[in-house]
Amino acid sequence: MTGRFGRQPTGWGSRMSARLSRGAHSVAGQVFALQAVIVLLLIAAAALALVFQARYDSQRDARNRSLAAAEAFAHAPGLPAALMSADPTAALQPLAEAARRASGLDFIAVMDVRGVRYTDSRPELIGQRASDVSRAAAGESFTQVFKGQPSDAVRAVVPVRNADGEVIGLVGTGIEVENVAHAVEGQLPLLVGAAAGGLLLGTAGAALVSRRLLRQTRGLGAAEMTRMNEHHEAVLHAVREGVLIIGNDRRLILANDEARRLLDLPQDAEEHDVGDLGLDPRTTELLASGRVVTDHVHLAGDRLLAVNVRPTMAYAGRPAGRVVTLRDSTELASVSGRAEVARRRLQLLYDAGVRIGTTLDVARTAEELSEVAVPRFADFVTVELLEPVLRGDEPSGGVYTEMRRAAITGIRTDSPLQPVGDLIRFEVPTAPMAAALDAGHAVLAADLNAAMGWRAQDSQGTRAALEYGLHSLISVPLLARGVVLGMANFWRADTPEPFDGEDLSFAEELGARAAVSVDNARRFTREHAMAVTLQRSLLPRVLPDQSAVEVAYRYLPATAGVGGDWFDVIPLPGARVALVVGDVVGHGVHAAATMGRLRTAVHNFSTLDLPPDELLGHLDELINRIDQDEAGGAGNGSGDAGADGNGNGSGAGAEDAGPDGAAEGASAVTGATCLYAVYDPASGRCRMASAGHPGPALIRPDGQVEFPEMPAGIPLGVGGMPFEAVEFQLPEGSRLVLFTDGLVEDRDRDFDTGLRLLAETLSRPGRSPDEACADVLDTMLFPVPSDDIALLIADTRRLEADRIAEWEVPGEYTAVSWVRNAGSAQLVEWGLEDIAFTAELILSELVTNAIRYGSAPVRVRLLRDRSLICEVSDGSSTSPHLRYAATTDEGGRGLFLVAQYAERWGTRYTDRGKVIWAELPLTGAAEPQPPLDLDSLEDLAW
């Protein structure tokens, strides 16, 4: 055909033929053929392995089934009795056959110890002896592949034992090998199908790989690819531009001749990590970083290179590495040098901003200034500060002729410069230091040999400095807010180049930044000292005398700023004692002042003898009221924190000022926690409540440490929820440990870990409270505590039984005389005859009024402690009031007499009434003048 369609088959056929021919001889076609052969071999090997594995699994399954059936039949109830019967075959043959059919085995045989069969699936074998059963007769169960008569089988033989453990028979079970082979043959179709499927998948995968390779190699054959590589090598090594190819693993894949020349690469550089090529660190970092750069000017040795870095793209767009090109631009070296110097200066200023002023400590800040400049700018740096600045005070101003050396850093430690702590004097006005202070800016002495003012200031010391090699100096005054704080001196000795004008500007910039940090550290030092002083002045200086507990305590302020932790030991009526520990959120003067206000309030509320939960409730209400008042009238300067139950009285530190002089007394109090515990040595009971504060540790007399469960109270000032109290019965000799969370918790240790460590420390036996405090701080203290630590350890004591006298009073007036006489007799027994009359008077009044106005039961208790404590309790909650009776009144003088003759008296409420108490000194100094008719006083009213 000669038409349009007649020529098409010829062209298409030729192209197709060429493509097939090219594919068959291409690298892709060769790879496909090789992969197809490998897949075929792997599939065949896998199929053969699966056949053997199936055969092995079938035999193992047959062994397990045979052994399990034999074990079950051998341990069947009644089998030993059947074996010992007159006709074991008749008894066991039906059972064995039923078990065989149920288990799917080919045979179950019961034999005697010689192997003679009592039963068998083939009746003709009954009575015949089985071979190779000696191991079972010896008491060992076993399985085996048996070959012999009557048939090859996978069998198990198990001994049968009587009640005494003797072997009296054998049980053999098994599956014939022929049946096991049938099971394997049943799996062959599946194996053949899986092999065929694997072959298809493998061939398809090889085809896909070959197709991909065909596209990437563009159908080239081996000879064509070799020829292309030769052209590539020729072009690559002929260009006058360095070319590097680096993989993602930082290994050098290729380097042309120009790259080897520019970077002085070794001949075997390929396949080595770029960090092992001997390049300078900056060049190594540039090549290894992988960042994209364009015409980056880079100094490598004595050559200035223009560097370009681009990633290479592999399959699916994933980066496979990077290509680096290098051009020699050495003629720009001088420009690059100046740029590098500027870059180093900027980096040094950046480092100074990061490293100077990290601790808010004046001396350490001076050290940081000296350390950051050596050796990158100067060989030696000295820093001198005014004495008030070192203390945290405001410098006074005026003419500065002497300073204290605060820091010195150098490239060596044997410099002739005066050490830290020496007093440095600037007495010669023309010396660089004095001139810089007078001018208020940096002064350069490029050649110290020509600095006659400096040499005249200390001829002997300057001569030693010049001999040592010091030859150039820049003196920079440290100025902040226009006030001189000190002086920084930069020295060069080993560096041959003297300081120049650019160095002078840089040193002044560095000094200005450092001066701000020094001033911040000075102000912090001042406020920290003020806060520590205020905090310690508000904490107890001497603990009160009391007999209920033996107490030791520790208080440590935080390094970064004083917080508001506090503790207290408050004696209460009835020989009781209150133990208090609290924590105010925040740091500084305000936290310390707030702590003082709360401590004052707790003291005043404790005089009302309130239960712990009620006291915290009143304290919370008071704080809320203070916050509301301050929110509505902030700035009135009032810092009263509730010195009594009505919120009256003077607070602590309302006029304390922060570093900027602003009063902080009007800040809110919200954010405080408190733990309040009351211990009674007469009963050994301890009642406590918490306002968001960690509970105490309790160490029992046997050394066991526990942390009693406490109701989760909310912090003070939050409001809205009542507080709950818990009560414990403490054995005699128990120890209570109260602490703030700064002891156990920090950035590097969580609360639970701190509690475990505290418990381990407190469990040490034989330690006094003071020794225990030292142990706890040695173990628990952080190197740089970020919060205050308050620790209070109290060993509880019990009031001896012979120091307590109690009576229950009948509800009759005639009982008053009896109580009075009993009390008098008890006082005589205690050797307190001198105060017997006063005690009788007080008891008479209190008991009479309890009978008249109270309700049953009425009880009297005398406690002999540091004073004599008289307590009268009744079931009424009516509160008595002291009043002054008129001349014509017949009663109303009872409590007036009690108040006159008692050292202290008061009322506390219990769960079932109240207690009226009075304390008398153990001497008779307050004894009234007799004679008085005590019986006539019984008619006096409250």
Side-chain angles (χ1 to χ4, degrees), residues 177-369:
V177 172
E178 181 180 358
N179 293 333
V180 175
H182 289 333
V184 175
E185 291 172 358
Q187 299 180 20
L188 286 178
L190 177 62
L191 296 177
V192 172
L199 181 59
L200 291 175
L201 290 176
T203 306
L208 290 175
V209 172
S210 178
R211 183 178 179 184
R212 177 65 178 174
L213 184 58
L214 182 64
R215 285 202 304 268
Q216 289 192 342
T217 59
R218 301 181 183 274
L220 298 176
E224 293 171 314
M225 295 184 67
T226 301
R227 195 161 51 250
M228 180 179 291
N229 182 64
E230 292 173 352
H231 295 165
H232 160 77
E233 290 288 337
V235 172
L236 182 67
H237 294 289
V239 297
R240 300 304 298 169
E241 186 171 279
V243 178
L244 301 173
I245 299 179
I246 301 172
N248 270 343
D249 57 355
R250 297 184 13 142
R251 292 186 178 275
L252 179 64
I253 299 175
L254 182 145
N256 69 349
D257 295 341
E258 183 68 5
R260 293 176 184 275
R261 184 185 70 83
L262 293 177
L263 297 178
D264 295 328
L265 295 177
Q267 290 300 320
D268 59 345
E270 280 85 353
E271 298 304 324
H272 284 78
D273 189 279
V274 295
D276 300 332
L277 300 179
L279 304 174
D280 63 271
R282 292 185 57 253
T283 303
T284 301
E285 190 276 332
L286 177 63
L287 297 180
S289 65
R291 67 179 184 270
V292 176
V293 297
T294 301
D295 291 334
H296 173 72
V297 178
H298 179 80
L299 186 63
D302 58 351
R303 293 187 178 95
L304 192 66
L305 305 178
V307 182
N308 292 272
V309 181
R310 292 292 184 274
T312 60
M313 305 307 292
Y315 180 72
R318 292 189 296 269
R322 49 196 170 275
V323 175
V324 182
T325 62
L326 312 168
R327 291 196 310 274
D328 193 355
S329 304
T330 308
E331 64 275 8
L332 301 177
S334 58
V335 177
S336 176
R338 290 194 295 272
E340 180 63 17
V341 171
R343 188 196 65 80
R344 287 200 300 265
R345 293 288 171 84
L346 289 175
Q347 182 64 39
L348 182 55
L349 286 177
Y350 171 78
D351 292 345
V354 173
R355 293 176 54 185
I356 299 176
T358 61
T359 62
L360 291 178
D361 178 83
V362 174
R364 180 56 192 154
T365 302
E367 292 173 358
E368 291 168 343
L369 168 59

Side-chain angles (χ1 to χ4, degrees), residues 530-544 553-558 562-570 580-584 588-589 591-600 602-603 652-653 656 673 693 740 787-792:
M530 292 171 56
V532 169
T533 302
L534 177 61
Q535 178 88 348
R536 293 192 181 279
S537 68
L538 296 175
L539 288 172
R541 298 185 180 181
V542 178
L543 295 181
Y553 64 90
R554 294 289 189 277
Y555 169 76
L556 294 177
V562 177
D565 293 13
W566 91 92
F567 63 90
D568 229 325
V569 178
I570 306 173
V580 192
V581 67
D583 184 3
V584 175
V589 175
T594 301
M595 178 277 295
R597 303 166 75 182
L598 292 182
R599 180 170 176 253
T600 301
V602 170
H603 262 274
D656 294 322
T673 64
H693 198 86
T740 55
D787 197 4
D788 286 14
I789 294 175
L791 174 65
L792 186 66

Side-chain angles (χ1 to χ4, degrees), residues 26 460 572 727:
S26 67
Q460 183 177 357
L572 297 177
E727 191 169 74

Side-chain angles (χ1 to χ4, degrees), residues 587-830:
H587 296 85
V589 175
H590 169 61
T594 301
M595 178 277 295
R597 303 166 75 182
L598 292 182
R599 180 170 176 253
T600 301
V602 170
H603 262 274
N604 289 319
F605 283 133
S606 68
T607 61
L608 302 177
D609 211 348
L610 299 172
D613 51 340
E614 292 186 24
L615 184 141
L616 292 180
H618 284 288
L619 192 62
D620 182 67
E621 181 182 357
L622 176 63
I623 290 176
N624 281 327
R625 189 164 64 249
I626 293 174
D627 289 342
Q628 293 171 4
D629 293 343
E630 291 175 346
N636 57 9
S638 171
D640 300 333
D644 56 28
N646 297 322
N648 301 319
S650 61
E655 299 175 355
D656 294 322
D660 57 353
E664 296 185 350
S667 299
V669 185
T670 303
T673 64
C674 181
L675 176 67
Y676 187 86
V678 176
Y679 172 68
D680 185 355
S683 63
R685 302 195 67 80
C686 181
R687 188 181 181 95
M688 64 181 68
S690 171
H693 198 86
L698 172 61
I699 299 91
R700 297 192 177 275
D702 60 359
Q704 179 182 356
V705 181
E706 60 184 68
F707 296 92
E709 291 290 336
M710 293 282 296
I714 58 178
L716 297 171
V718 176
M721 293 293 291
F723 298 97
E724 295 183 55
V726 292
E727 191 169 74
F728 306 101
Q729 180 67 42
L730 300 183
E732 187 172 359
S734 298
R735 173 173 288 178
L736 280 174
V737 179
L738 284 70
F739 54 89
T740 55
D741 57 1
L743 178 68
V744 297
E745 189 176 26
D746 199 77
R747 290 183 293 268
D748 300 326
R749 185 171 67 202
D750 59 35
F751 188 80
D752 292 336
T753 302
L755 286 186
R756 287 194 297 270
L757 188 59
L758 178 62
E760 294 173 2
T761 307
L762 294 174
S763 61
R764 299 175 188 173
R767 309 294 286 173
S768 67
D770 195 71
E771 292 171 338
C773 284
D775 292 342
V776 169
L777 292 186
D778 288 343
T779 304
M780 306 289 296
L781 191 61
F782 298 97
V784 183
S786 58
D787 197 4
D788 286 14
I789 294 175
L791 174 65
L792 186 66
I793 297 182
D795 281 356
T796 60
R797 299 170 177 167
R798 292 291 293 272
L799 201 60
E800 295 86 347
D802 59 0
R803 291 175 173 265
I804 305 173
E806 295 182 273
W807 301 280
E808 186 162 348
V809 181
E812 302 174 356
Y813 290 109
T814 56
V816 177
S817 298
W818 171 78
V819 170
R820 194 166 56 233
N821 294 333
S824 178
Q826 183 63 58
L827 294 178
V828 170
E829 182 180 343
W830 284 342

Side-chain angles (χ1 to χ4, degrees), residues 33 121 136 181 239 261 269 285 293 364 373 432 466 468 518 625 665 668 772 811 857 864 887 942:
S121 58
V239 297
R261 184 185 70 83
E285 190 276 332
V293 297
R364 180 56 192 154
L466 292 173
Y468 182 82
V518 171
R625 189 164 64 249
R864 182 185 173 217
T887 307
W942 292 108

Side-chain angles (χ1 to χ4, degrees), residues 432-443:
M433 297 83 165
L437 291 173
D438 182 61
H441 57 74
V443 170

